[in-house]
Amino acid sequence: MATDPAELINRAQAWLAEDPDPETRGELAKLIEAEDTDELAARFAGTLQFGTAGLRGELGAGPMRMNRSVVIRAAAGLAAYLKAQGEGSGLVVIGYDARHKSADFARDTAAVMVGAGLRAALLPRPLPTPVLAFAIRHLGAVAGVEVTASHNPPRDNGYKVYLGDGSQIVPPADAGIAAEIAAVGPLDGVPRPEAGWETLDEAVLTAYLERTDAVLTPGSPRDTKVVYTPMHGVGRDTLVAAFARAGFPAPVVVAEQAEPDPDFPTVAFPNPEEPGAMDLAFAAARAAGADIDIVIANDPDADRCAVAVPAPGTPEGWRMLRGDEVGALLAAHLVRKRASGTFATTIVSSQLLSRIAAASALPYEETLTGFKWLARVDGLRYAFEEALGYCVDPEGVRDKDGITAALLITELAAELKQAGRTLTDLLDDLAREFGLHATDQLSVRVEDLSLIADAMRRLREQPPTVLAGLAVSRADDLTQGTETLPPTDGLRYYLAGSPAAGIESARVVVRPSGTEPKLKCYLEVVVPVTSPEALPEARTTATAALAAIKRDVSAAAGIDA
């Protein structure tokens, strides 16, 4: 790390000399002229690290920010890695969202690939991430790049890398690519021709849309009325087209959030899970009247899908379902459709999926967090993670896909509607059959990343023995790995049940977020349901237990809930 002011200025001037972007050059020149060593130190304290999430960070000049210089180096490292793997003449497909600089980063990547001797193809315009994941396999590419920061704040962008199987990279490929990036010399030594790559036409999107039809049952009911928001992202046109092909009524699109806008002006964070993000969608549903059945939201790159259901008596009139609830609903729907193959989820998602799979004698697996792991499960038929990610067609898209998930949940709602029932009714059925699996999350966003490391260290040095009055029956430090999981920075606590308290079991997983400056604690309580009449009391018990666990975990970690 450079701390000497003179060295900081020298490093910044060297970076400035090879920066190809007039905007970031101007930004950096002002910092140098002002001798703003604090800001320069933040930008030149190291380099943005390439890992299993690729790159993600704040836009700006310098090696600790997302910019064209960083992206060109990343692309050159990826090209060198592919050539070292014997894929030096292969095709790399590049997609991008509508964030600031996304199109520039995509073109730079295409130029670097062509300059390195590979072939490159850009998607025709900003499109959902699942279209890129589909295109890799559809076109027989050796790799794919998606320029997106998903649901991060507007100031961020990112660089997600897939290999030829259509799945995101995992170790050791991430380390191999990172080593090649580190070996890239001066940027003027990276060939970047002005042309030579292909810009794909609409045929690739048509092929994707044709594939979306496969998730639905021919002849199933299609009369669900939906309010939809793309949350200022790129999902609208693709989802509306998919709904039209399927024969669903055209969704009511939230007008204020319909157009792609990299500034995301109507939300504090463009993530359906964040407080307030769904307010406009709920307002649109209230304005549309009582015939609206469900509300659906995609995140800005449309690989996630959020679902809300009517909640009479609440101020909003609607309730966001948790990812775990949607995951269970889709699983139950696929079981009813006689799906075969492995059902999978992650260690931080609800254990309800394991019970649904077992009841139907279906194989079940748990992986580390992220679809980069879920997509690699042998014989995968269905996967979900609690962060609103669902893979319902792994042969088409080996990643989470917010478009096909939206189609499938809309089909389920239509089938239930035809029977005079709702998604909420089906959730109640699952609770009665398998026990109420209630989940919650403690998510703490920090400015200082050392606070996360401090919390993890505190939990390791002084592990809790009791949470919410429930004894910790087993504690796993996941840095050690397990028989089925590679090592990761996380802690998992299994809590003994309490018949007197009406609790069968509970579980807590604590981990740093891989994509945001957050510490995340995932909580689950299982409460047996002895009769339909007992369900309200079970929910009250679960809510109180989750609140108590959240309070005690927060205290044990030394963080503010």
Side-chain angles (χ1 to χ4, degrees), residues 47 57 62 65 97 106 137 204 224 235 261 314 328 331 351 401 412 433 445 464 470-471 487 490 531 544:
T47 57
R65 299 288 186 266
D97 65 12
R137 291 162 64 88
V204 67
T224 312
D261 188 331
T314 64
Q351 299 165 99
D401 183 345
L412 173 58
E433 183 174 0
R445 184 181 294 270
L470 303 174
S531 68

Side-chain angles (χ1 to χ4, degrees), residues 28 31 54 68 105 151 233 241 299 328 335 350 421 477 506 516 546 558:
L28 188 54
L31 293 175
R68 291 184 60 196
F105 295 167
H151 55 276
D299 67 337
V335 164
S350 174
R421 307 182 73 238
D477 186 342
E516 297 179 88
L546 288 169

Side-chain angles (χ1 to χ4, degrees), residues 315-327:
E316 295 84 5
W318 290 83
R319 179 177 82 86
M320 262 277 289
L321 297 181
R322 293 191 172 276
D324 287 319
E325 292 177 303
V326 177

Side-chain angles (χ1 to χ4, degrees), residues 262-284:
D263 293 319
F264 305 104
T266 68
V267 290
F269 293 97
N271 178 353
E273 295 178 293
E274 293 283 350
M278 296 290 287
D279 286 356
L280 286 173
F282 293 160

Side-chain angles (χ1 to χ4, degrees), residues 21-293:
D21 188 334
E23 187 174 336
T24 46
R25 276 204 313 272
E27 175 188 316
L28 188 54
K30 288 179 181 178
L31 293 175
I32 294 171
E33 183 179 358
E35 297 184 354
D36 188 343
T37 53
D38 287 344
E39 182 64 21
L40 290 172
R43 292 165 182 252
F44 287 85
T47 57
L48 207 56
Q49 292 300 301
F50 186 93
T52 51
L55 294 168
R56 197 174 289 189
E58 186 176 345
L59 290 162
M64 289 294 290
R65 299 288 186 266
M66 282 295 296
N67 50 65
R68 291 184 60 196
S69 297
V70 165
V71 165
I72 289 166
R73 289 182 180 278
L78 174 58
Y81 174 83
L82 292 172
K83 291 170 77 171
Q85 300 298 310
E87 306 284 7
S89 61
L91 173 67
V92 178
V93 187
I94 304 146
Y96 56 102
D97 65 12
R99 284 179 177 264
H100 293 295
K101 300 289 184 182
S102 286
D104 294 338
F105 295 167
R107 283 192 295 270
D108 281 332
T109 300
V112 170
M113 294 301 161
V114 171
L118 289 109
R119 293 177 293 127
L122 286 171
L123 293 187
R125 61 180 183 280
L127 286 168
T129 292
V131 177
L132 180 277
F134 166 83
I136 295 167
R137 291 162 64 88
H138 178 66
L139 298 174
V142 299
V145 171
E146 177 70 18
V147 180
T148 181
S150 189
H151 55 276
N152 275 39
R155 65 179 182 271
D156 289 0
N157 212 327
Y159 197 82
K160 186 183 295 187
V161 175
Y162 298 74
L163 294 181
D165 62 355
S167 301
Q168 298 174 50
I169 56 169
V170 295
D174 58 339
I177 297 169
E180 295 288 1
I181 293 171
V184 175
L187 287 192
D188 60 10
V190 178
R192 300 198 311 277
E194 294 293 322
W197 56 87
E198 177 186 4
T199 298
L200 297 168
D201 60 21
E202 295 299 306
V204 67
L205 179 59
T206 299
Y208 169 80
L209 289 169
E210 288 172 351
R211 181 77 204 186
T212 64
D213 297 346
V215 307
L216 302 175
T217 300
S220 63
R222 304 287 164 97
D223 65 341
T224 312
K225 303 290 180 61
V226 174
V227 163
Y228 168 70
T229 175
M231 210 151 285
H232 300 296
V234 298
R236 180 193 61 186
D237 291 351
T238 304
L239 182 134
V240 169
F243 268 54
R245 289 180 61 92
F248 290 115
V252 177
V253 179
V254 177
E256 301 94 328
Q257 298 174 332
E259 295 295 330
D261 188 331
D263 293 319
F264 305 104
T266 68
V267 290
F269 293 97
N271 178 353
E273 295 178 293
E274 293 283 350
M278 296 290 287
D279 286 356
L280 286 173
F282 293 160
R286 290 192 297 270
D291 64 337
I292 297 298
D293 299 302

Side-chain angles (χ1 to χ4, degrees), residues 399-411:
D399 198 4
K400 54 188 175 291
D401 183 345
I403 305 297
T404 49
L407 287 171
L408 198 61
I409 198 72
T410 304
E411 178 187 59

Side-chain angles (χ1 to χ4, degrees), residues 276-557:
M278 296 290 287
D279 286 356
L280 286 173
F282 293 160
R286 290 192 297 270
D291 64 337
I292 297 298
D293 299 302
I294 57 174
V295 173
I296 288 176
N298 287 136
D299 67 337
D301 69 326
D303 62 351
R304 289 173 169 82
C305 176
V307 181
V309 294
T314 64
E316 295 84 5
W318 290 83
R319 179 177 82 86
M320 262 277 289
L321 297 181
R322 293 191 172 276
D324 287 319
E325 292 177 303
V326 177
L329 288 169
L330 290 174
H333 188 40
L334 288 169
V335 164
R336 189 169 176 276
K337 288 158 73 85
R338 301 189 184 281
S340 61
T342 301
F343 280 33
T345 191
T346 68
I347 60 171
V348 303
S349 303
S350 174
Q351 299 165 99
L352 176 55
L353 183 65
S354 66
R355 298 192 179 186
I356 293 172
S360 298
L362 290 168
Y364 170 80
E365 282 196 31
E366 284 184 14
T367 72
L368 294 183
T369 307
F371 267 85
K372 58 182 176 284
W373 300 107
L374 286 170
R376 287 175 163 74
V377 168
D378 287 340
L380 182 66
R381 175 59 185 88
Y382 168 65
F384 91 91
E385 62 178 356
E386 54 75 40
L388 309 183
Y390 317 94
C391 175
V392 301
D393 178 25
E395 290 306 306
V397 175
R398 295 195 77 80
D399 198 4
K400 54 188 175 291
D401 183 345
I403 305 297
T404 49
L407 287 171
L408 198 61
I409 198 72
T410 304
E411 178 187 59
L412 173 58
E415 290 186 0
L416 291 166
K417 182 179 180 179
Q418 188 178 68
R421 307 182 73 238
T422 66
L423 295 177
T424 302
D425 293 331
L426 181 52
L427 284 171
D428 290 350
D429 291 348
L430 295 174
R432 287 191 288 267
E433 183 174 0
F434 300 111
L436 174 63
H437 287 63
T439 59
D440 200 355
Q441 188 181 128
L442 170 62
S443 182
V444 181
R445 184 181 294 270
V446 301
E447 294 292 331
D448 181 359
L449 290 176
S450 70
L451 296 176
I452 294 176
D454 289 346
M456 296 298 290
R457 185 180 66 252
R458 191 175 293 110
L459 289 169
R460 288 189 169 102
E461 292 175 352
Q462 298 177 304
T465 57
V466 176
L467 294 170
L470 303 174
V472 177
S473 58
R474 177 177 142 199
D476 299 334
D477 186 342
L478 299 174
T479 56
Q480 308 302 311
T482 72
E483 290 183 3
T484 57
L485 299 172
T488 189
D489 186 8
L491 297 163
R492 179 171 56 185
Y493 305 107
Y494 290 98
L495 311 184
S498 170
I503 296 173
E504 178 184 315
S505 63
R507 188 194 62 178
V508 177
V509 180
V510 185
R511 60 179 281 272
S513 170
T515 56
E516 297 179 88
K518 287 182 176 181
L519 181 71
K520 291 190 169 184
C521 309
Y522 306 83
L523 323 174
E524 181 170 36
V525 171
V526 183
V527 178
V529 181
T530 54
S531 68
E533 294 74 26
L535 190 52
E537 183 180 349
R539 294 195 191 282
T540 300
T541 298
T543 299
L546 288 169
I549 293 172
K550 185 183 292 190
R551 181 193 64 231
D552 289 356
V553 169
S554 178

